[in-house]
């Protein structure tokens, strides 16, 4: 399960609490758990602007994976199509530094990325990943969904159909591609992320979308089923969150289904463990005592007259960062200035 874009406080307090927790018998929310008793986890592909870093730290301390969507998420997509390896590095490697500084996320735990707008950057992007110790990319949609394609190593050149050019044409030993396997929506068209599918007109249609695409994985080759979420799908219709909650509870009732982050799913792909042995392994375990918990009193960092998009020189805006850092960066952290010192 993945979440794309900023982790805003309103999403954290409402949507994410509903997704990750169910209403218990005492009418209080309790953590949804996998068959081994550990909480379900997700991967958060983060953009820098509008992210609440105190919420990020809390999610990370609970075992969720933090991954990268870039600092700026610059529009249009052509920016990424023609970006140099140095641009990819400034946008993603420096974002690791920001996550560590403001969200207490260990740099060695940030091992995955997704390209903004799914606009891959060919060899320049993948060279950056290889040179900077990343493990995987999750940016390449594929119509190979019946049966679904599995994650694969880039020890050899990718043979996946290139839907959005430019795709990598070289090999990158040690690096993995986790394809975004297309869904078939209720209008019989392909879509890579749930909010790009034909919009369901009811809770029943939402459930059909979720159930039918899960079944294609579960009833064929058991390739990992990716549930790619963004906030707008829920805000456009309240019944979508109700359908998702019901769907999650349905599949968690199966003793051979685990809802987990991309890094853990990839760990299993690289080193498969029998279902009977998972409960005694650390594969989908829940000991995250080495991660710093959320502090009691996060601080608020305020930055005024910001001109970065969606603002401009003519229409400046403000940015606020909630963080457990000991002090605020003097300037708003950005591309080329991740520590906010310049």
């Amino acid at each position: 399960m993945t979440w794309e874009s900023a982790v805003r406080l309103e999403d954290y307090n409402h949507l994410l609490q509903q997704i990750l927790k169910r209403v218990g018998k005492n009418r209080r929310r309790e953590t949804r758990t996998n068959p081994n008793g550990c909480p379900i986890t997700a991967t958060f592909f983060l953009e820098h602007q509008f992210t609440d870093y105190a919420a990020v730290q809390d999610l990370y301390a609970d075992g969720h994976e933090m991954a990268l969507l870039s600092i700026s998420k610059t529009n249009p997509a052509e920016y990424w199509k023609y970006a140099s390896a140095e641009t990819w590095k400034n946008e993603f490697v420096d974002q690791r530094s920001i996550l560590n500084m403001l969200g207490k996320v260990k740099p060695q735990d940030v091992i995955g990325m997704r390209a903004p707008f799914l606009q891959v950057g060919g060899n320049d992007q993948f060279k950056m990943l290889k040179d900077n110790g990343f493990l995987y990319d999750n940016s390449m949609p594929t119509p190979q969904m019946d049966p679904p394609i599995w994650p694969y190593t880039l020890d050899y050149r990718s043979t996946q159909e290139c839907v959005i050019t430019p795709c990598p044409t070289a090999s990158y030993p040690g690096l993995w591609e986790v394809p975004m396997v297309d869904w078939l929506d209720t209008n019989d068209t392909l879509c890579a992320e749930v909010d790009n599918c034909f919009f369901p007109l009811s809770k029943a249609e939402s459930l059909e979308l979720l159930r039918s695409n899960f079944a294609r994985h579960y009833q064929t080759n058991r390739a990992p089923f990716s549930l790619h979420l963004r906030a707008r799908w829920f805000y456009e219709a309240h019944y979508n969150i109700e359908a998702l909650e019901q769907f999650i509870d349905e599949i968690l009732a199966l003793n051979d289904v685990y809802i987990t982050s991309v890094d853990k799913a990839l760990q299993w792909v690289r080193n498969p463990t029998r279902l009977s042995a998972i409960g005694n392994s650390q594969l989908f375990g829940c000991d995250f005592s080495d991660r710093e918990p959320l502090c009691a009193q996060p601080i608020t960092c305020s930055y005024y007259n910001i001109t970065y998009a969606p603002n401009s020189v003519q229409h400046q805006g403000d940015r606020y960062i909630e963080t457990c850092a000991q002090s605020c960066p003097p300037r708003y952290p950005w591309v080329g200035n991740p520590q906010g010192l310049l």
Side-chain angles (χ1 to χ4, degrees):
M1 184 164 63
T2 75
W3 182 273
E4 180 183 312
S5 199
V7 172
R8 303 179 304 169
L9 186 60
E10 54 266 41
D11 300 335
Y12 170 76
N13 283 337
H14 300 292
L15 292 179
L16 292 175
Q17 298 304 312
Q18 289 178 262
I19 294 169
L20 299 172
K21 299 178 181 180
R22 64 162 61 91
V23 177
K25 294 180 180 179
N26 60 358
R27 306 303 300 167
R28 299 176 66 88
R29 288 207 169 264
E30 55 189 36
T31 302
R32 284 187 163 92
T33 57
N34 282 315
N36 66 348
C38 286
I40 65 173
T41 57
T43 294
F44 292 82
F45 290 100
L46 301 170
E47 62 176 295
H48 169 55
Q49 290 201 97
F50 310 111
T51 282
D52 186 298
Y53 284 94
V56 165
Q57 183 171 343
D58 197 34
L59 289 165
Y60 173 67
D62 283 343
H64 300 284
E65 180 191 11
M66 298 300 136
L68 307 178
L69 190 67
S70 80
I71 295 175
S72 71
K73 199 184 177 184
T74 295
N75 234 332
E78 282 72 18
Y79 172 85
W80 305 98
K81 183 175 184 177
Y82 300 110
S84 66
E86 186 65 20
T87 297
W88 285 100
K89 180 180 178 181
N90 291 340
E91 288 274 7
F92 285 87
V93 177
D94 284 357
Q95 194 183 9
R96 267 180 172 165
S97 299
I98 294 175
L99 271 174
N100 177 246
M101 175 179 66
L102 298 176
K104 306 296 185 181
V105 180
K106 297 178 182 179
Q108 63 267 29
D109 288 344
V110 184
I111 57 175
M113 68 153 288
R114 180 179 293 167
F117 317 111
L118 307 186
Q119 179 57 68
V120 291
N123 291 334
D124 283 332
Q125 174 196 345
F126 285 80
K127 182 179 187 303
M128 179 278 296
L129 291 172
K130 170 67 176 175
D131 290 347
N132 291 280
F134 287 89
L135 178 62
Y136 72 87
D137 169 75
N138 181 218
S139 307
M140 294 172 60
T142 174
Q144 186 177 332
M145 37 73 81
D146 195 11
I149 187 174
W150 279 73
Y152 59 88
T153 176
L154 290 171
D155 288 358
Y156 305 94
R157 183 175 65 86
S158 172
T159 58
Q160 178 182 333
E161 179 182 349
C162 187
V163 176
I164 302 175
T165 61
C167 295
T169 58
S171 61
Y172 297 93
L175 202 59
W176 285 72
E177 178 61 32
V178 181
M180 300 185 73
V181 178
D182 280 344
W183 285 19
L184 188 66
D185 66 22
T186 54
N187 202 35
D188 289 334
T189 54
L190 299 177
C191 46
E193 297 178 276
V194 66
D195 60 318
N196 289 332
C197 299
F198 180 77
F199 197 84
L201 301 179
S202 65
K203 178 181 176 180
E205 284 195 9
S206 298
L207 277 168
E208 173 60 22
L209 176 68
L210 295 163
R211 289 167 174 167
S212 61
N213 284 284
F214 170 76
R216 188 177 303 108
H217 289 248
Y218 187 71
Q219 295 174 2
T220 59
N221 64 359
R222 297 291 180 98
F225 172 67
S226 298
L227 182 57
H228 301 304
L229 305 174
R230 286 188 285 200
R232 68 181 186 181
W233 195 63
F234 304 104
Y235 288 128
E236 291 177 6
H238 68 87
Y239 50 75
N240 283 335
I241 188 68
E242 296 172 1
L244 179 64
E245 287 194 84
Q246 181 175 331
F247 169 72
I248 288 175
D249 289 337
E250 287 176 358
I251 63 175
L252 285 176
L254 303 169
N255 65 3
D256 56 355
V257 172
Y258 281 71
I259 297 178
T260 187
S261 51
V262 177
D263 61 340
K264 290 184 178 180
L266 193 53
Q267 186 179 348
W268 184 89
V269 171
R270 298 171 70 196
N271 185 24
T273 302
R274 289 185 179 275
L275 186 64
S276 59
I278 286 179
N280 297 321
S281 76
Q282 293 301 313
L283 179 58
F284 300 134
C286 40
D287 180 6
F288 301 103
S289 56
D290 61 330
R291 299 183 179 185
E292 187 174 334
L294 180 67
C295 58
Q297 293 293 330
I299 61 174
T300 301
C301 304
S302 304
Y303 304 93
Y304 307 106
N305 304 318
I306 299 297
T307 59
Y308 306 128
N311 297 107
S312 65
V313 173
Q314 294 77 21
H315 302 283
Q316 299 176 11
D318 303 330
R319 301 289 186 272
Y320 302 96
I321 294 176
E322 293 286 325
T323 175
C324 287
Q326 291 186 346
S327 61
C328 294
R331 297 182 181 275
Y332 186 64
W334 197 244
V335 182
N337 185 27
Q339 301 300 312
L341 299 176
L342 303 178

